[in-house]
Amino acid sequence: MTVVAFIGLGQMGAPMARNLMRHGHTLRVHDLNPQPVAALVAEGAHGCDSPAQAAQGAEVVITMLPTGPQVHAALLGERGALETLDPQALVIDMSTILPTESDALCAALAARGISFMDAPVGRTSDHAIAGTLLILAGGSEAQVARATPLLRCLGDTLIAAGGPGRGIRLKLINNYMSIALNALSAEAAVLCEALGLPLDKALEVMNLTPAVRGHFGTTWPQRVLKGDLSPTFMIDLAHKDLGLALTLAGQLRVPLPMGAAARELYSQARAQGRGRQDWSAILEQMRAAAGRPSVVPEGTQ
Ligand code: NAD
């Protein structure tokens, strides 16, 4: 069983610390707010008034804090964990922070001979309570292997992200997609309501199409990811259909800011001569807009 210093006992951290305790690990807990510390102490944790105190004798330190500067303060600030940490200990940051902040922490700890890995989580506080988080473990293979018995107490899905800093990068991509899609989904739902269509009927249809199933795993593997832009559904027609939805929404006074931005991207693709390419060529259009190389071989466009 492992002695774990757990710093940050909010919506996520408190249930995570609790789950580690339930699995028999020894918890040394700290939060700026004394309330969750007291609650965990009542359940058997050792309460600590600073990260430095929490880190005393710990084999692993886990941080679950809102932002990068807070993780930095907890580890490297005054009364931070590094003041007392055993050089053999492993630090696991499970917060969602900027990858560059995570890289800087990794380097700063490495310079002091301390092992640091990123292991951010997906899903919500309900999953933190149930111990069913999705965990994206950055770090080296050895670090992931060392952390796995603890991480398995916190989540039912553990993905080795493939190296230091990759967990937090994957996490941000996943959040970018799901958060932006939330807004696009809300636009579609409001248009649906304005048209008097039941949402469950729309969902029945969209469950069968890339609208819900996404493009990464449906349309793209068939074309653009194979380097083939021959049309299954043309950019010109996709542009026309987006325009139809925008016109309809205009008649109903429903704003569609996400859809309007997407239509302009299709307009740019057409202006670049992609009108008769497959709609998955929108990925190539984005690569060009970002100044990134095309991965579609010459002559197949
Ligand atoms: P929260 O605001 O509920 O909890 C953060 C806790 O950290 C608070 O209790 C606060 O008092 C404490 N804290 C802040 N600065 C501190 C410091 N310097 N030292 C000690 N304690 C400090 O936030 P949360 O929802 O638990 O989220 C934590 C992290 O997990 C965030 O990075 C968040 O983006 C990420 N996350 C949250 C969810 C979610 O559904 N809530 C899901 C996935 C990831």
Coordinates of all heavy atoms in Angstrom, one line a residue, residues 11-86:
Q11 N -14.3 19.3 -6.0 CA -15.3 18.5 -6.6 C -14.7 17.1 -7.1 O -15.3 16.1 -6.9 CB -15.8 19.1 -7.9 CG -16.6 20.3 -7.7 CD -18.1 19.9 -7.9 OE1 -18.8 19.7 -6.9 NE2 -18.5 19.8 -9.1
M12 N -13.5 17.2 -7.6 CA -12.8 16.0 -8.2 C -11.9 15.4 -7.1 O -11.9 14.2 -6.9 CB -12.0 16.4 -9.4 CG -12.8 16.9 -10.5 SD -14.0 15.8 -11.2 CE -12.9 14.7 -12.2
G13 N -11.0 16.2 -6.5 CA -10.0 15.7 -5.7 C -10.5 14.9 -4.5 O -10.0 13.9 -4.1
A14 N -11.6 15.5 -3.8 CA -12.0 14.8 -2.6 C -12.5 13.4 -2.8 O -12.1 12.4 -2.2 CB -13.1 15.7 -1.9
P15 N -13.4 13.2 -3.8 CA -13.8 11.8 -4.1 C -12.6 10.9 -4.5 O -12.6 9.7 -4.2 CB -14.9 11.9 -5.1 CG -14.8 13.2 -5.7 CD -14.2 14.1 -4.6
M16 N -11.7 11.5 -5.3 CA -10.5 10.7 -5.7 C -9.7 10.2 -4.5 O -9.3 9.1 -4.4 CB -9.7 11.5 -6.7 CG -10.4 11.7 -8.1 SD -9.7 13.0 -9.0 CE -8.1 12.3 -9.6
A17 N -9.4 11.2 -3.6 CA -8.7 10.8 -2.4 C -9.4 9.7 -1.6 O -8.8 8.8 -1.1 CB -8.5 12.1 -1.5
R18 N -10.7 9.9 -1.5 CA -11.6 8.9 -0.8 C -11.4 7.5 -1.4 O -11.3 6.5 -0.7 CB -13.0 9.4 -0.9 CG -14.0 8.8 0.1 CD -15.3 9.6 0.2 NE -15.1 10.7 1.0 CZ -15.4 12.0 0.7 NH1 -15.8 12.3 -0.6 NH2 -15.2 13.0 1.5
N19 N -11.4 7.5 -2.8 CA -11.3 6.2 -3.4 C -10.0 5.5 -3.2 O -9.9 4.3 -3.0 CB -11.6 6.3 -4.9 CG -13.1 6.4 -5.2 OD1 -13.9 5.8 -4.5 ND2 -13.4 7.0 -6.3
L20 N -8.9 6.3 -3.1 CA -7.6 5.8 -2.8 C -7.6 5.2 -1.4 O -7.1 4.1 -1.2 CB -6.5 6.9 -2.9 CG -6.2 7.3 -4.4 CD1 -5.3 8.5 -4.4 CD2 -5.4 6.1 -5.1
M21 N -8.3 5.9 -0.5 CA -8.3 5.4 0.9 C -9.1 4.1 1.0 O -8.7 3.2 1.7 CB -9.0 6.5 1.8 CG -8.1 6.9 2.8 SD -8.7 8.2 3.9 CE -10.2 8.8 3.3
R22 N -10.2 4.1 0.2 CA -11.0 2.8 0.2 C -10.2 1.6 -0.2 O -10.5 0.5 0.2 CB -12.2 3.0 -0.7 CG -13.3 3.8 -0.1 CD -14.7 3.5 -0.8 NE -15.6 4.5 -0.3 CZ -16.1 5.5 -1.1 NH1 -15.9 5.5 -2.4 NH2 -17.0 6.3 -0.6
H23 N -9.3 1.9 -1.1 CA -8.4 0.8 -1.6 C -7.3 0.5 -0.7 O -6.4 -0.3 -1.0 CB -7.9 1.0 -3.0 CG -9.0 0.8 -4.1 ND1 -9.9 1.8 -4.4 CD2 -9.3 -0.3 -4.8 CE1 -10.7 1.3 -5.3 NE2 -10.3 0.1 -5.6
G24 N -7.2 1.1 0.5 CA -6.3 0.8 1.5 C -5.0 1.6 1.5 O -4.1 1.4 2.3
H25 N -4.9 2.6 0.7 CA -3.8 3.5 0.7 C -3.8 4.5 1.8 O -4.9 4.8 2.3 CB -3.6 4.2 -0.7 CG -3.5 3.3 -1.8 ND1 -2.4 2.5 -2.0 CD2 -4.4 2.9 -2.8 CE1 -2.6 1.7 -3.1 NE2 -3.8 1.9 -3.6
T26 N -2.7 5.0 2.2 CA -2.6 5.9 3.3 C -2.6 7.3 2.7 O -1.7 7.6 1.9 CB -1.3 5.7 4.1 OG1 -1.3 4.4 4.6 CG2 -1.2 6.7 5.3
L27 N -3.5 8.2 3.1 CA -3.7 9.5 2.5 C -3.3 10.6 3.4 O -3.7 10.7 4.6 CB -5.2 9.7 2.1 CG -5.6 9.3 0.7 CD1 -5.1 10.3 -0.3 CD2 -5.1 7.9 0.3
R28 N -2.4 11.5 2.9 CA -2.0 12.7 3.6 C -2.6 13.9 2.8 O -2.2 14.1 1.6 CB -0.5 12.8 3.7 CG 0.1 11.6 4.5 CD 1.6 11.7 4.5 NE 2.1 13.0 5.2 CZ 2.1 13.2 6.5 NH1 1.7 12.2 7.3 NH2 2.6 14.3 7.0
V29 N -3.6 14.5 3.3 CA -4.4 15.4 2.4 C -4.2 16.9 2.8 O -4.1 17.3 4.0 CB -5.9 15.1 2.4 CG1 -6.1 13.7 1.9 CG2 -6.5 15.2 3.8
H30 N -4.3 17.7 1.7 CA -4.2 19.2 2.0 C -5.0 19.9 1.0 O -5.1 19.6 -0.2 CB -2.7 19.7 1.8 CG -2.7 21.2 1.8 ND1 -2.9 21.9 2.9 CD2 -2.4 22.1 0.8 CE1 -2.8 23.2 2.6 NE2 -2.5 23.3 1.3
D31 N -5.7 21.0 1.5 CA -6.4 21.9 0.6 C -6.4 23.3 1.3 O -6.3 23.3 2.6 CB -7.9 21.4 0.4 CG -8.6 22.2 -0.7 OD1 -8.9 23.4 -0.5 OD2 -8.9 21.6 -1.8
L32 N -6.5 24.4 0.6 CA -6.5 25.7 1.2 C -7.8 25.8 2.0 O -7.9 26.5 3.0 CB -6.5 26.8 0.1 CG -5.2 27.0 -0.6 CD1 -5.3 28.1 -1.7 CD2 -4.0 27.2 0.3
N33 N -8.8 25.1 1.6 CA -10.1 25.1 2.3 C -10.1 24.0 3.4 O -10.0 22.8 3.0 CB -11.2 24.9 1.3 CG -12.6 24.8 1.9 OD1 -12.8 25.0 3.1 ND2 -13.6 24.6 1.0
P34 N -10.2 24.4 4.7 CA -10.1 23.3 5.7 C -11.3 22.3 5.7 O -11.2 21.2 6.2 CB -10.1 24.2 7.0 CG -10.6 25.5 6.7 CD -10.4 25.7 5.2
Q35 N -12.4 22.7 5.1 CA -13.6 21.9 5.2 C -13.4 20.5 4.6 O -13.7 19.5 5.3 CB -14.8 22.6 4.5 CG -16.1 22.4 5.2 CD -17.2 23.1 4.5 OE1 -17.0 24.2 3.9 NE2 -18.4 22.5 4.5
P36 N -13.0 20.4 3.3 CA -12.8 19.0 2.8 C -11.7 18.2 3.5 O -11.7 17.0 3.5 CB -12.5 19.2 1.3 CG -12.0 20.7 1.2 CD -12.7 21.4 2.3
V37 N -10.7 19.0 4.0 CA -9.6 18.3 4.8 C -10.3 17.6 6.0 O -10.1 16.4 6.2 CB -8.5 19.3 5.2 CG1 -7.5 18.6 6.0 CG2 -7.9 20.0 4.0
A38 N -11.1 18.4 6.7 CA -11.7 17.8 7.9 C -12.6 16.6 7.6 O -12.6 15.6 8.3 CB -12.6 18.9 8.6
A39 N -13.3 16.7 6.5 CA -14.2 15.6 6.1 C -13.4 14.3 5.8 O -13.8 13.2 6.3 CB -15.0 16.0 4.8
L40 N -12.3 14.5 5.2 CA -11.5 13.3 4.9 C -10.7 12.8 6.1 O -10.5 11.6 6.3 CB -10.5 13.6 3.7 CG -11.1 13.5 2.4 CD1 -10.4 14.3 1.3 CD2 -11.3 12.1 1.9
V41 N -10.4 13.7 7.0 CA -9.7 13.3 8.2 C -10.7 12.4 9.0 O -10.3 11.4 9.6 CB -9.2 14.5 9.1 CG1 -8.9 14.1 10.5 CG2 -8.0 15.2 8.4
A42 N -12.0 12.8 9.0 CA -13.0 12.0 9.7 C -13.1 10.6 9.2 O -13.6 9.7 9.8 CB -14.4 12.8 9.6
E43 N -12.7 10.5 7.9 CA -12.7 9.1 7.3 C -11.4 8.4 7.4 O -11.3 7.3 6.7 CB -13.2 9.3 5.8 CG -14.6 9.9 5.7 CD -14.9 10.2 4.3 OE1 -14.5 9.5 3.4 OE2 -15.5 11.3 4.1
G44 N -10.4 9.0 8.0 CA -9.2 8.3 8.2 C -7.9 8.8 7.6 O -6.8 8.3 7.7
A45 N -8.1 10.0 6.9 CA -6.9 10.6 6.2 C -6.1 11.4 7.3 O -6.7 11.8 8.3 CB -7.3 11.5 5.1
H46 N -4.8 11.7 7.0 CA -4.0 12.6 7.8 C -4.2 14.0 7.2 O -3.8 14.2 6.1 CB -2.6 12.2 7.8 CG -2.3 10.8 8.3 ND1 -2.1 10.5 9.6 CD2 -2.3 9.6 7.6 CE1 -1.9 9.2 9.7 NE2 -2.1 8.6 8.6
G47 N -4.7 14.9 8.0 CA -4.9 16.3 7.5 C -3.5 17.0 7.6 O -2.8 16.9 8.6
C48 N -3.2 17.9 6.6 CA -2.0 18.6 6.6 C -2.2 20.0 6.3 O -3.1 20.3 5.5 CB -1.0 18.0 5.6 SG -0.7 16.2 5.9
D49 N -1.5 20.9 7.0 CA -1.7 22.3 6.7 C -1.0 23.0 5.6 O -1.1 24.2 5.3 CB -1.5 23.1 8.1 CG -0.1 23.1 8.5 OD1 0.8 22.6 7.8 OD2 0.1 23.4 9.7
S50 N -0.1 22.2 4.9 CA 0.6 22.7 3.7 C 0.9 21.5 2.8 O 1.0 20.3 3.3 CB 1.9 23.4 4.2 OG 2.8 22.4 4.7
P51 N 1.2 21.8 1.6 CA 1.7 20.7 0.7 C 3.0 20.1 1.2 O 3.2 18.9 1.1 CB 2.0 21.4 -0.6 CG 1.0 22.6 -0.6 CD 1.0 23.0 0.8
A52 N 3.9 21.0 1.9 CA 5.1 20.4 2.4 C 4.9 19.4 3.5 O 5.5 18.3 3.5 CB 6.0 21.6 3.0
Q53 N 3.9 19.7 4.3 CA 3.6 18.7 5.4 C 3.0 17.4 4.8 O 3.3 16.3 5.2 CB 2.6 19.3 6.4 CG 2.5 18.5 7.7 CD 1.4 18.9 8.6 OE1 0.7 19.9 8.4 NE2 1.2 18.2 9.7
A54 N 2.1 17.6 3.8 CA 1.5 16.5 3.2 C 2.6 15.6 2.5 O 2.5 14.3 2.5 CB 0.5 16.9 2.1
A55 N 3.6 16.2 1.9 CA 4.6 15.4 1.2 C 5.5 14.6 2.1 O 6.2 13.7 1.6 CB 5.4 16.3 0.3
Q56 N 5.6 15.0 3.4 CA 6.5 14.3 4.3 C 6.2 12.8 4.3 O 5.1 12.4 4.7 CB 6.3 14.9 5.7 CG 7.5 15.7 6.1 CD 7.2 16.6 7.3 OE1 6.3 16.3 8.1 NE2 7.9 17.6 7.5
G57 N 7.2 12.0 3.9 CA 7.0 10.6 4.0 C 6.2 10.0 2.9 O 5.9 8.8 2.8
A58 N 5.7 10.8 1.9 CA 4.8 10.3 0.8 C 5.7 9.7 -0.2 O 6.8 10.1 -0.6 CB 4.0 11.5 0.2
E59 N 5.1 8.6 -0.8 CA 5.8 7.9 -1.9 C 5.3 8.5 -3.3 O 6.0 8.5 -4.3 CB 5.5 6.4 -1.9 CG 6.0 5.7 -0.6 CD 5.3 4.4 -0.4 OE1 5.8 3.4 -1.0 OE2 4.3 4.3 0.3
V60 N 4.1 9.0 -3.2 CA 3.5 9.6 -4.4 C 2.8 10.9 -4.0 O 2.1 10.9 -2.9 CB 2.5 8.6 -5.1 CG1 1.7 9.3 -6.2 CG2 3.2 7.4 -5.6
V61 N 2.9 12.0 -4.8 CA 2.1 13.2 -4.6 C 1.2 13.3 -5.7 O 1.6 13.3 -6.9 CB 3.0 14.4 -4.5 CG1 2.2 15.7 -4.4 CG2 4.0 14.3 -3.3
I62 N -0.1 13.5 -5.4 CA -1.1 13.8 -6.5 C -1.6 15.2 -6.3 O -2.0 15.6 -5.2 CB -2.3 12.8 -6.5 CG1 -1.7 11.4 -6.8 CG2 -3.3 13.2 -7.5 CD1 -2.8 10.3 -6.8
T63 N -1.6 16.0 -7.4 CA -2.2 17.3 -7.4 C -3.5 17.3 -8.3 O -3.5 16.8 -9.4 CB -1.2 18.4 -7.9 OG1 -0.6 17.9 -9.1 CG2 -0.2 18.7 -6.9
M64 N -4.5 17.9 -7.7 CA -5.8 18.0 -8.5 C -6.3 19.4 -8.2 O -7.2 19.6 -7.4 CB -6.8 16.9 -8.0 CG -8.0 16.8 -8.9 SD -7.4 16.4 -10.6 CE -9.0 16.1 -11.4
L65 N -5.7 20.4 -8.9 CA -6.0 21.8 -8.7 C -6.5 22.5 -9.9 O -6.3 22.0 -11.0 CB -4.6 22.4 -8.2 CG -4.1 21.9 -6.9 CD1 -2.6 22.2 -6.7 CD2 -4.9 22.4 -5.7
P66 N -7.1 23.7 -9.7 CA -7.7 24.3 -10.9 C -6.8 24.7 -12.0 O -7.1 24.5 -13.2 CB -8.4 25.6 -10.3 CG -8.7 25.2 -8.8 CD -7.5 24.3 -8.5
T67 N -5.7 25.4 -11.7 CA -4.8 26.0 -12.7 C -3.3 25.7 -12.5 O -2.9 25.3 -11.4 CB -5.0 27.5 -12.7 OG1 -4.4 28.0 -11.5 CG2 -6.4 28.0 -12.9
G68 N -2.6 26.0 -13.6 CA -1.1 25.7 -13.6 C -0.4 26.5 -12.4 O 0.4 25.9 -11.7
P69 N -0.7 27.8 -12.3 CA 0.0 28.5 -11.2 C -0.3 27.9 -9.8 O 0.6 27.9 -8.9 CB -0.6 29.9 -11.3 CG -0.9 30.1 -12.8 CD -1.4 28.7 -13.2
Q70 N -1.5 27.3 -9.6 CA -1.8 26.7 -8.4 C -1.0 25.4 -8.2 O -0.5 25.1 -7.1 CB -3.3 26.5 -8.2 CG -4.0 27.8 -7.9 CD -5.5 27.8 -8.3 OE1 -5.9 27.2 -9.3 NE2 -6.3 28.4 -7.5
V71 N -0.8 24.7 -9.3 CA 0.0 23.4 -9.2 C 1.4 23.8 -8.9 O 2.1 23.2 -8.0 CB -0.1 22.6 -10.5 CG1 0.7 21.3 -10.3 CG2 -1.5 22.3 -10.8
H72 N 1.9 24.9 -9.6 CA 3.3 25.4 -9.3 C 3.5 25.7 -7.9 O 4.4 25.3 -7.2 CB 3.6 26.6 -10.3 CG 5.0 27.0 -10.2 ND1 5.5 27.8 -9.2 CD2 6.0 26.7 -11.0 CE1 6.8 28.0 -9.5 NE2 7.1 27.4 -10.5
A73 N 2.5 26.5 -7.3 CA 2.6 27.0 -5.9 C 2.6 25.8 -5.0 O 3.4 25.7 -4.0 CB 1.4 27.9 -5.6
A74 N 1.8 24.8 -5.3 CA 1.7 23.6 -4.4 C 2.9 22.8 -4.4 O 3.3 22.2 -3.4 CB 0.5 22.8 -4.7
L75 N 3.6 22.8 -5.5 CA 4.8 21.9 -5.6 C 6.1 22.7 -5.3 O 6.9 22.3 -4.5 CB 4.9 21.3 -7.0 CG 3.8 20.3 -7.4 CD1 4.0 19.9 -8.9 CD2 3.8 19.1 -6.5
L76 N 6.2 23.9 -5.9 CA 7.5 24.6 -5.8 C 7.4 25.9 -5.0 O 8.4 26.6 -4.8 CB 7.9 25.0 -7.2 CG 8.4 23.8 -8.0 CD1 8.1 23.9 -9.5 CD2 9.9 23.5 -7.8
G77 N 6.2 26.3 -4.5 CA 6.1 27.5 -3.8 C 6.5 27.4 -2.3 O 7.1 26.3 -1.9
E78 N 6.3 28.4 -1.6 CA 6.6 28.4 -0.1 C 5.8 27.3 0.6 O 4.6 27.3 0.3 CB 6.3 29.8 0.5 CG 7.1 30.0 1.7 CD 6.8 31.4 2.3 OE1 6.6 32.3 1.5 OE2 6.7 31.5 3.5
R79 N 6.4 26.5 1.4 CA 5.7 25.4 2.0 C 5.1 24.4 1.0 O 4.1 23.7 1.2 CB 4.6 25.8 3.0 CG 5.1 26.8 4.1 CD 6.0 26.1 5.1 NE 5.3 25.0 5.9 CZ 5.8 23.9 6.2 NH1 7.0 23.5 5.8 NH2 5.1 23.0 7.0
G80 N 5.8 24.4 -0.2 CA 5.3 23.5 -1.3 C 5.9 22.1 -1.0 O 6.8 21.9 -0.2
A81 N 5.4 21.1 -1.8 CA 5.7 19.7 -1.6 C 7.2 19.5 -1.7 O 7.8 18.6 -1.0 CB 4.9 18.9 -2.5
L82 N 7.9 20.2 -2.6 CA 9.3 19.9 -2.9 C 10.2 20.2 -1.7 O 11.3 19.7 -1.6 CB 9.8 20.8 -4.1 CG 9.6 20.2 -5.5 CD1 10.8 19.2 -5.7 CD2 8.3 19.4 -5.7
E83 N 9.7 21.0 -0.7 CA 10.5 21.3 0.5 C 10.8 20.0 1.3 O 11.8 19.9 2.0 CB 9.8 22.3 1.4 CG 9.9 23.7 0.8 CD 9.3 24.8 1.7 OE1 9.0 24.5 2.9 OE2 9.1 25.9 1.2
T84 N 9.9 19.0 1.2 CA 10.0 17.9 2.1 C 10.1 16.5 1.3 O 10.2 15.5 1.9 CB 8.8 17.8 3.1 OG1 7.6 17.7 2.3 CG2 8.8 19.0 4.0
L85 N 9.8 16.6 0.0 CA 9.6 15.4 -0.7 C 10.8 14.5 -0.8 O 11.9 15.0 -1.1 CB 9.1 15.8 -2.2 CG 8.5 14.7 -3.0 CD1 7.3 14.1 -2.3 CD2 8.1 15.2 -4.4
D86 N 10.6 13.2 -0.6 CA 11.7 12.2 -0.8 C 12.0 12.2 -2.3 O 11.2 12.1 -3.2 CB 11.0 10.8 -0.4 CG 12.0 9.7 -0.5 OD1 12.9 9.8 -1.4 OD2 11.9 8.7 0.2

